[in-house]
């Protein structure tokens, strides 16, 4: 039995040898062949292995016990039908040449190949992991091998050989080990191919050099750039064979430094003229490569064409310079705040507009810090000096929407501040000085006011003129009627003024009229009272919310004051300048009256005053009320 084990172990060695030969020699050779040829060659190697296994078989009762079962199954499992058929054909031919129970042997060989193919189909479809696939194959091989030896032997009426079980177990073991080995190797090859492809097909220039500065590997980009059809053509060459001596020397010195120091050369930028005469920018990094003992064994380099990046950067720098120039030359102050209210950019003008808080206005400062400084320094008029947090929040909030404001600073300058939010939540603030515009605006306003005054004022006396009086009377009358309040109108005429002019001259007459105007103005107590020059030496006064008694009181005070001035008037029976006043009133009795009627009544009353001896005040009375003595008929 020991001999039998020896033979089985020798068989195991044969299987291992052929599998190893396939993995290390056959497979790399066949790697680029079409799939069918790879399969056929695998079948060939497995078939030859099976032949060797049969040569070392243990012959017993016309049967040969060996590990061909394992090799057939592996051929079917890894090479499918083509490999299984080739391997089976070789094995069968050889087995037939040996004679004995050929039929049984043929069935076993075919069954083994078929087992391999079926297990492969089954496990592949179910995506069984690597180790599981090997285990299932080995188990199937053991079961089929043992089962067959029982069925076949019993069917021909012979007894089951005592070798059947150990041979089945050894077949199983051999299959497991070999399947694991091949599967694992496939994984390794796949990984290696992936890395290889990543290296070869990378868009950057990638190369590996040995210690003699010769290329050990280059990728397609390097080969194409240097005019070679494939990367393999460059293996073994040095820079001296592909570029100018000067450039090769320069490269060699740099690389020697990396190899000697072991320090990487990182991100070196160079402007180089390529074989096509085109200048391009490159970024190169080179690192020393070490073996597991730490010895330098070469270097790996990566070079990237950064011409497009470079141009882009240049354009960015140029446009930034242009922008800086523009921003520094414009008279407006520009500031940019991010969405958190942090100042991210401002030009010098912006700072100069706010001398008291220029220190705070620098990138990184927040709008709230700046506004607090504005309040503390009282740089802006209207900013609260204390408890300014609410104000700060209100102003900071304006960064969130488009708005325009005009603010006045402590030194009387006016600034126009425009805020425009951006789509990213930031805000652009543009500040311009509008002091001159503001000054012109207020000058224009005062001019308009002057014009308005001129249009409504009597030039000589400074009282409201006739036109403005007419308007004011209409307005005041309708207001009085609406409010149900009384209104009084005084019509004043200077007594014997024709004579005054004649005696003292027209100019003195004018002066006297100014005095009368002043006297009238002083007699009116309420701000709503209106004194006007009605024309010539006649004056009017509108007294809103004043009844007849009130009007008498005012009118008499005026009359009395004028008289008390004692302006000499020799042409008057009073010997001083006096005036007569007629009063007309609207109250609840006369609500339907219009302005013309009111004036008419005042005129009538004045006429009565004149008639009654002048220097007096007379109210209008209905004809029925008029006393007959000394009055108009
Ligand atoms: P009476 O007491 O009846 O009013 O006598 P009177 O002389 O004042 O008569 P009347 O009111 O008709 O006189 C108007 C005079 O007032 C005519 C004119 O010489 C004079 N007068 C009118 N307007 C002006 C003016 O603007 N300046 C001057 N100096 N005199 C004026
Ligand atoms: Mg008159
Ligand atoms: Mg008069």
């Amino acid at each position: 039995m020991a001999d039998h084990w020896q033979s089985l172990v020798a068989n195991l060695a044969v299987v291992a040898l052929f599998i190893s030969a396939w993995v290390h020699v056959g497979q790399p050779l066949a790697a680029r062949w079409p799939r069918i040829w790879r399969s056929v060659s695998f079948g060939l190697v497995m078939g030859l292995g099976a032949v060797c296994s049969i040569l070392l078989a243990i012959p017993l009762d016309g049967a040969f016990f060996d590990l061909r079962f394992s090799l057939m199954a592996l051929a079917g499992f890894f090479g499918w039908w083509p490999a299984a058929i080739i391997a089976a054909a070789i094995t069968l031919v050889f087995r037939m040449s040996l004679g004995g129970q050929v039929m049984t042997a043929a069935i076993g060989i075919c069954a083994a190949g078929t087992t391999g193919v079926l297990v492969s189909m089954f496990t592949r479809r179910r995506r069984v992991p690597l180790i599981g696939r090997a285990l299932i194959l080995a188990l199937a091989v053991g079961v089929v091998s043992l089962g067959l030896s029982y069925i076949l032997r019993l069917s021909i009426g012979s007894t089951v050989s005592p070798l059947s079980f150990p041979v089945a177990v050894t077949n199983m073991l051999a299959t497991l080990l070999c399947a694991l080995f091949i599967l694992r190797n496939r994984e390794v090859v796949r990984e290696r191919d992936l890395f290889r492809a990543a290296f070869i097909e990378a868009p950057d220039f990638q190369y590996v050099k040995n210690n003699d500065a010769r290329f050990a590997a280059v990728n397609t980009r390097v080969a194409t750039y240097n005019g070679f059809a494939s990367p393999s053509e460059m293996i073994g060459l040095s820079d001296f064979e592909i570029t100018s001596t000067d450039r090769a020397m320069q490269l060699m010195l740099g690389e020697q430094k990396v190899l000697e120091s072991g320090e990487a050369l990182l991100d070196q930028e160079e402007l180089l003229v390529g074989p096509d005469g085109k200048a391009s920018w490159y970024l190169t990094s080179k690192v020393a490569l070490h073996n597991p003992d730490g010895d330098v064994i070469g270097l790996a380099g990566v070079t990237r064409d950064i011409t497009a990046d470079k141009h882009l950067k240049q354009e960015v720098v140029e446009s930034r310079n242009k922008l800086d120039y523009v921003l520094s030359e414009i008279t407006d102050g520009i500031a940019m705040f991010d969405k958190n209210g942090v100042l991210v950019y401002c030009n010098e003008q912006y700072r100069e507009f706010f001398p008291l808080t220029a220190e705070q206005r620098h990138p990184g400062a927040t709008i709230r810090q700046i506004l607090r400084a504005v309040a503390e320094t009282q740089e802006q008029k209207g900013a609260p000096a204390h408890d300014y947090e609410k104000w700060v929040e209100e102003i900071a909030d304006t960064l969130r929407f488009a708005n325009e404001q005009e603010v006045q600073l402590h030194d009387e300058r006016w600034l126009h501040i425009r805020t425009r939010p951006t789509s990213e939540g930031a805000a652009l603030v543009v500040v311009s000085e509008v002091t001159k515009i503001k000054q012109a605006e207020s000058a224009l306003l005062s001019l308009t006011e002057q014009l308005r005054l001129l249009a409504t004022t009597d030039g000589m006396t400074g009282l409201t003129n006739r036109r403005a009086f007419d308007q004011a009377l209409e307005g005041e009358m309708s207001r009085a009627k609406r409010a149900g309040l009384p209104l009084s109108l005084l019509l004043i005429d200077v007594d014997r003024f024709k004579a005054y002019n004649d005696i003292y001259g027209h100019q003195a007459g004018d002066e006297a009229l100014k005095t009368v105007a002043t006297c009238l103005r002083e007699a009116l107590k309420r701000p709503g009272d209106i004194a006007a020059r009605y024309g010539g030496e006649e004056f009017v006064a509108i007294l809103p919310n004043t009844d007849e008694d009130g009007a008498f009181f005012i009118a008499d005070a005026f009359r009395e004051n004028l008289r008390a001035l004692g302006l000499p008037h020799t042409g008057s029976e009073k010997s001083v300048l006096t005036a007569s006043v007629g009063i007309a009133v609207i109250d609840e009795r006369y609500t339907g009256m219009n302005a013309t009627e009111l004036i008419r009544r005042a005129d009538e009353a004045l006429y009565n005053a004149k008639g009654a001896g002048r220097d007096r005040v007379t109210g209008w009375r209905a004809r029925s009320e008029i006393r007959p003595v000394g009055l108009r008929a």
Side-chain angles (χ1 to χ4, degrees):
M1 196 65 189
D3 281 355
H4 295 160
W5 280 115
Q6 257 178 10
S7 296
L8 281 177
V9 171
N11 253 287
L12 206 61
V14 163
V15 172
L17 179 73
F18 273 82
I19 291 295
S20 173
W22 168 254
V23 165
H24 292 115
V25 184
Q27 192 165 270
L29 265 177
R32 296 189 187 288
W33 296 353
R35 181 185 287 269
I36 179 78
W37 286 117
R38 281 208 311 271
S39 193
V40 167
S41 51
F42 182 58
L44 204 74
V45 175
M46 291 303 102
L48 291 175
V51 169
C52 288
S53 177
I54 294 170
L55 286 173
L56 292 167
I58 311 155
L60 195 73
D61 306 332
F64 291 89
F65 290 91
D66 52 51
L67 297 186
R68 82 187 87 137
F69 210 92
S70 160
L71 287 161
M72 290 302 108
L74 287 168
F77 187 78
F78 288 107
W80 281 61
W81 292 117
I85 290 166
I86 296 287
I90 294 171
T91 317
L92 258 177
V93 170
F94 182 72
R95 178 63 189 81
M96 272 152 70
S97 69
L98 297 179
Q101 294 166 9
V102 175
M103 197 53 202
T104 326
I107 292 172
I109 287 164
C110 293
T114 309
T115 305
V117 174
L118 292 179
V119 170
S120 168
M121 274 162 68
F122 171 79
T123 55
R124 200 178 293 203
R125 231 177 260 157
R126 280 171 181 70
R127 300 188 178 279
V128 179
L130 215 131
I131 185 122
R133 297 181 68 191
L135 268 172
I136 293 171
L137 180 68
L139 266 174
V141 165
V143 170
V144 173
S145 154
L146 199 62
L148 265 183
S149 60
Y150 272 79
I151 294 164
L152 292 175
R153 298 292 290 212
L154 292 174
S155 66
I156 55 168
S158 104
T159 52
V160 177
S161 162
L163 278 176
S164 290
F165 187 71
V167 166
V169 170
T170 320
N171 260 315
M172 201 167 83
L173 254 170
T175 309
L176 179 67
L177 289 175
C178 292
L180 273 178
F181 180 60
I182 294 177
L183 284 171
R184 175 74 198 124
N185 185 258
R186 268 193 189 178
E187 291 286 305
V188 171
V189 168
R190 199 170 295 150
E191 263 174 34
R192 193 195 63 199
D193 285 352
L194 202 67
F195 285 128
R196 204 181 116 82
F199 176 81
I200 291 285
E201 289 161 31
D204 294 339
F205 296 83
Q206 294 195 355
Y207 39 91
V208 177
K209 283 181 178 175
N210 61 21
N211 275 339
D212 304 328
R214 290 186 180 279
F215 290 105
V218 300
N219 70 351
T220 312
R221 181 84 202 263
V222 175
T224 317
Y225 181 83
N226 289 298
F228 292 94
S230 85
S232 59
E233 287 177 26
M234 279 187 70
I235 310 294
L237 298 182
S238 75
D239 284 319
F240 287 93
E241 285 146 297
I242 57 170
T243 184
S244 69
T245 316
D246 285 353
R247 173 75 183 145
M249 203 64 185
Q250 183 194 3
L251 286 169
M252 198 181 74
L253 289 175
E255 286 167 4
Q256 258 171 9
K257 226 159 110 188
V258 174
L259 291 171
E260 280 163 17
S261 69
E263 264 175 40
L265 172 113
L266 294 174
D267 296 336
Q268 185 190 44
E269 281 188 18
E270 281 178 302
L271 180 65
L272 298 175
V273 179
D276 54 0
K278 220 176 83 186
S280 302
W281 279 95
Y282 294 97
L283 184 73
T284 297
S285 294
K286 290 177 182 174
V287 287
L289 300 175
H290 300 86
N291 65 11
D293 297 329
D295 306 322
V296 174
I297 53 171
L299 64 81
V302 181
T303 299
R304 168 171 293 179
D305 187 341
I306 52 161
T307 315
D309 282 7
K310 229 20 199 183
H311 286 162
L312 206 67
K313 263 188 210 154
Q314 237 160 339
E315 272 172 34
V316 171
V317 168
E318 274 169 25
S319 57
R320 213 207 144 87
N321 286 347
K322 275 184 208 153
L323 189 68
D324 280 351
Y325 177 75
V326 170
L327 289 176
S328 66
E329 287 302 306
I330 59 170
T331 49
D332 287 345
I334 309 265
M336 190 90 184
F337 290 88
D338 72 8
K339 62 176 188 303
N340 300 318
V342 176
L343 181 64
V344 285
Y345 172 82
C346 69
N347 63 359
E348 205 43 50
Q349 292 86 317
Y350 173 75
R351 262 193 287 268
E352 283 168 6
F353 275 137
F354 305 96
L356 301 189
T357 54
E359 281 284 292
Q360 272 74 29
R361 295 175 194 261
H362 55 77
T366 69
I367 183 74
R368 287 172 179 79
Q369 288 169 339
I370 293 170
L371 289 170
R372 278 182 205 117
V374 169
E376 274 159 19
T377 56
Q378 286 290 289
E379 182 168 51
Q380 181 181 321
K381 283 193 175 171
H386 312 284
D387 304 327
Y388 42 69
E389 278 310 316
K390 193 164 166 268
W391 177 82
V392 166
E393 283 309 316
E394 269 170 25
I395 308 284
D397 208 41
T398 60
L399 282 186
R400 292 194 296 111
F401 51 88
N403 65 88
E404 311 206 356
Q405 296 172 41
E406 278 179 355
V407 298
Q408 194 176 21
L409 301 186
H410 70 291
D411 54 5
E412 303 300 323
R413 276 179 306 127
W414 277 92
L415 297 181
H416 180 96
I417 302 176
R418 244 176 314 154
T419 306
R420 291 284 178 275
T422 70
S423 52
E424 292 85 37
L428 178 71
V429 176
V430 181
V431 184
S432 353
E433 184 165 354
V434 290
T435 312
K436 285 212 173 93
I437 297 172
K438 271 282 173 189
Q439 283 167 349
E441 200 177 277
S442 67
L444 205 64
L445 267 177
S446 70
L447 195 68
T448 315
E449 181 60 18
Q450 280 171 23
L451 283 173
R452 198 183 61 76
L453 271 175
L454 272 179
T456 58
T457 309
D458 172 58
M460 193 176 83
T461 61
L463 297 183
T464 302
N465 65 13
R466 172 70 184 269
R467 202 172 63 84
F469 160 76
D470 287 342
Q471 273 179 9
L473 182 62
E474 292 279 353
E476 290 300 333
M477 278 181 75
S478 50
R479 197 180 322 174
K481 284 175 193 168
R482 268 202 312 276
L485 294 170
L487 178 143
S488 295
L489 182 74
L490 314 186
L491 187 61
I492 299 147
D493 187 288
V494 182
D495 297 331
R496 308 282 184 213
F497 200 61
K498 210 165 164 322
Y500 192 90
N501 270 325
D502 293 345
I503 299 166
Y504 302 99
H506 202 85
Q507 211 153 356
D510 284 355
E511 288 306 316
L513 288 181
K514 285 182 201 170
T515 308
V516 174
T518 309
C519 226
L520 176 60
R521 207 183 280 126
E522 283 169 359
L524 304 186
K525 300 279 183 267
R526 293 188 190 158
D529 296 342
I530 299 165
R533 188 175 179 204
Y534 194 61
E537 35 77 87
E538 293 175 2
F539 299 87
V540 278
I542 306 169
L543 310 176
N545 196 14
T546 307
D547 59 11
E548 198 170 34
D549 288 349
F552 259 96
F553 184 77
I554 300 289
D556 212 48
F558 154 73
R559 188 197 57 79
E560 194 53 51
N561 288 347
L562 178 64
R563 187 191 153 93
L565 285 177
L567 282 180
H569 185 1
T570 51
S572 166
E573 60 269 44
K574 313 287 177 190
S575 56
V576 287
L577 194 73
T578 57
S580 303
V581 184
I583 297 173
V585 180
I586 56 163
D587 52 24
E588 62 277 10
R589 288 173 297 166
Y590 313 115
T591 47
M593 195 169 19
N594 62 17
T596 316
E597 176 60 15
L598 187 68
I599 294 168
R600 196 196 62 73
R601 286 184 182 191
D603 193 36
E604 210 175 286
L606 174 63
Y607 182 85
N608 289 340
K610 292 275 185 190
R614 299 183 170 79
D615 186 24
R616 69 195 55 218
V617 179
T618 307
W620 180 85
R621 289 286 173 272
R623 279 184 189 278
S624 56
E625 300 171 39
I626 299 172
R627 285 167 288 163
V629 188
L631 295 179
R632 195 165 61 159

